[in-house]
Amino acid sequence: MTKKITLIYIDSGGGHRAAATALREAIQRQRRPWDVEMVCIQDVLDSVDFVCRYTGIRFQDVYNIMLRRGWTLGSSQMIRAMHSLVRCTHPSQVRALRQHWAQSQADLVVSMIPHFNRSIKQALDHERPGVPYVTLLTDIADHPPHFWIERLNQYVICGSERAASQAGQLGIPPERVLRTSGMILNPAFYESRSSDRAAERMNLGLQPDVPTGLVLFGGEGSDEMLNIARSLDQVQLIMLCGKNERVAAKLRAMERHAKMFVQGFTRDVPLYMELSDFFIGKPGPGSISEALAKRLPVIVQRNAWTMAHERYNADWVEEQGAGLPVRNFDHEICSAVETLLQPQNYARFRQRAASMRNTAVFEIPELLEQILKVSSVCRLEDRRLPAASLQA
């Protein structure tokens, strides 16, 4: 019988939907006999969205606005306040989620979102007892408490040793903490997209043979891109602005000495990375991992304006020897690029990026297969137990 797999995502930033889409595509490529359903948690919880009720802005859009405008100072305090509101509305969330699960025939639920896992799991246990629950981190590490990993009867899939250690510290049994080789990426990042790099660059109006940086601040873009373009006036750049047309328009109107190509939202990020020599951006786990998959050394920023749950990512870049974290793009980006492009440094960073073999998106379907098998065995054994044992 075909198994139904439910992937839960949210459109706060682009990473969660992108990860869910990538996993669905990998499952389809591997011809797994599963019915894969993608569910946006915002759609399920719209009726109890406390933020939208008082501001007219959906919960998931608040994060996107913050990123677009750079309103990220004090994100640790914001997260604590948000978690207080989540706890206050927990009963309402569970009721809405129970209505959803009552109509679902899911055989396995994979959450690819933080914050709401306790509510989702509690509602699932009410309506679909015995259905295995998986939290699949799309961040390199958790940002406790009550961010990604909760003390629940669940599996946790982690892309780093730090995340796996955090799951163990919260009491998740070792056999339920499953490691992958990295963050989940779209299968397109494992394919070659450019047959003639020089010609592709010239098609974009760029010089074919000079060092080129790719600047990317996620799907929402950022005003920070304007400062970077001004500071790196002598460096050829590819600017991917996502949905931020305001920033894209300002970049296109900017006068610079070096060539610059500006692109809005695109699904050709793998191609643009192949045409680049290094990456500059916020320390988002997806962007960093995509760049490293394309063997690009990275330069990221870590300071008080960095989202709290992404600060470790910048430390991780340094730990892995895959690039340079800086405290302030405005003051340090020029020297960071100069340091990175010194031949001996660039060769070392490039080699380290090339040595990182992240195939998580192809590993995860097999992990889910094993979870389904364990679940089937447990259900069979439960049916074989006498009624007295079940009641006990």
Side-chain angles (χ1 to χ4, degrees):
M1 186 171 65
T2 300
K3 298 291 186 180
K4 183 175 182 180
I5 313 297
T6 298
L7 308 180
I8 302 177
Y9 70 95
I10 192 168
D11 282 324
S12 289
H16 304 288
R17 179 192 283 268
T21 302
L23 179 55
R24 181 180 62 182
E25 183 172 337
I27 289 170
Q28 292 170 345
R29 289 189 180 198
Q30 294 179 2
R31 300 184 182 279
R32 303 274 175 175
W34 301 339
D35 175 17
V36 180
E37 171 192 45
M38 289 179 52
V39 174
C40 179
I41 192 67
Q42 178 71 55
D43 295 338
V44 180
L45 296 180
D46 260 341
S47 63
V48 295
D49 186 342
F50 51 84
V51 175
C52 187
R53 187 181 307 162
Y54 295 109
T55 68
I57 302 172
R58 299 175 90 195
F59 174 84
Q60 66 181 14
D61 293 329
V62 173
Y63 182 79
N64 299 331
I65 293 170
M66 290 173 58
L67 292 180
R68 196 178 304 131
R69 296 294 185 179
W71 299 338
T72 53
L73 183 64
S75 58
S76 294
Q77 291 77 12
M78 179 206 70
I79 289 171
R80 285 197 291 270
M82 184 188 69
H83 283 172
S84 296
L85 292 171
V86 169
R87 285 194 297 272
C88 289
T89 58
H90 176 81
S92 300
Q93 294 168 31
V94 172
R95 283 194 295 272
L97 286 159
R98 285 187 63 179
Q99 292 178 9
H100 173 80
W101 295 127
Q103 301 171 16
S104 170
Q105 297 299 315
D107 296 294
L108 174 66
V109 175
V110 183
S111 168
M112 307 177 80
I113 65 170
H115 308 308
F116 297 101
N117 287 305
R118 183 170 295 278
S119 299
I120 299 169
K121 180 65 164 66
Q122 186 174 333
L124 181 67
D125 286 345
H126 274 292
E127 302 299 331
R128 302 274 301 163
V131 170
Y133 188 80
V134 180
T135 297
L136 196 171
L137 276 72
T138 62
D139 277 318
I140 295 174
D142 195 10
H143 182 67
H146 307 299
F147 199 89
W148 275 102
I149 308 171
E150 299 273 11
R151 287 191 177 92
L152 301 170
N153 180 22
Q154 65 166 327
Y155 293 86
V156 179
I157 297 179
C158 307
S160 73
E161 186 60 39
R162 182 182 178 97
S165 175
Q166 290 173 318
Q169 292 168 11
L170 279 172
I172 307 297
E175 66 274 13
R176 287 175 172 256
V177 180
L178 310 178
R179 275 294 313 274
T180 63
S181 55
M183 296 291 98
I184 188 169
L185 302 178
N186 191 285
F189 284 92
Y190 301 92
E191 303 165 353
S192 178
R193 304 291 298 275
S194 174
S195 58
D196 189 334
R197 196 167 184 247
E200 294 276 9
R201 280 187 175 182
M202 287 190 289
N203 287 340
L204 301 181
L206 302 175
Q207 294 187 40
D209 55 357
V210 301
T212 303
L214 181 137
V215 183
L216 172 63
F217 279 74
E220 300 300 323
S222 170
D223 288 351
E224 193 79 63
M225 302 176 75
L226 301 171
N227 298 329
I228 291 171
R230 295 187 189 100
S231 297
L232 297 179
D233 181 63
Q234 304 289 335
V235 179
Q236 182 162 276
L237 298 173
I238 296 175
M239 312 291 285
L240 301 185
C241 303
K243 301 172 185 176
N244 200 325
E245 286 300 326
R246 179 180 59 85
V247 166
K250 289 185 177 181
L251 287 169
R252 292 188 182 106
M254 189 179 294
E255 293 186 3
R256 282 170 35 93
H257 285 91
K259 300 285 188 180
M260 181 171 69
F261 173 77
V262 180
Q263 176 66 47
F265 180 80
T266 177
R267 300 191 185 280
D268 288 330
V269 175
L271 171 62
Y272 292 122
M273 285 190 169
E274 287 186 19
L275 302 182
S276 304
D277 298 297
F278 59 95
F279 169 89
I280 300 172
K282 78 183 187 75
S287 298
I288 290 174
S289 299
E290 290 167 359
L292 296 178
K294 289 300 184 181
R295 303 183 179 185
L296 299 185
V298 303
I299 300 175
V300 293
Q301 182 174 256
R302 185 192 190 281
N303 57 30
W305 278 265
T306 305
M307 295 298 290
H309 58 284
E310 293 185 341
R311 290 174 189 166
Y312 171 72
N313 300 346
D315 297 337
W316 181 85
V317 166
E318 189 169 30
E319 291 169 6
Q320 299 301 313
L324 298 171
V326 300
R327 288 188 57 83
N328 190 299
F329 278 142
D330 289 349
H331 300 133
E332 300 176 40
I333 190 61
C334 291
S335 60
V337 170
E338 183 178 349
T339 298
L340 184 142
L341 291 179
Q342 290 176 5
Q344 68 275 20
N345 292 337
Y346 186 78
R348 185 177 72 254
F349 290 133
R350 180 87 170 181
Q351 182 179 28
R352 181 55 184 151
S355 70
M356 301 176 73
R357 304 298 184 186
N358 170 19
T359 57
V361 71
F362 305 112
E363 300 161 8
I364 292 169
E366 180 59 29
L367 296 177
L368 300 183
E369 180 74 51
Q370 296 303 315
I371 293 170
L372 284 169
K373 288 180 180 178
V374 170
S375 174
S376 297
V377 170
C378 290
R379 289 184 182 183
L380 181 60
E381 290 177 348
D382 285 345
R383 285 199 296 269
R384 289 174 176 172
L385 288 173
S389 297
L390 290 172
Q391 291 172 358

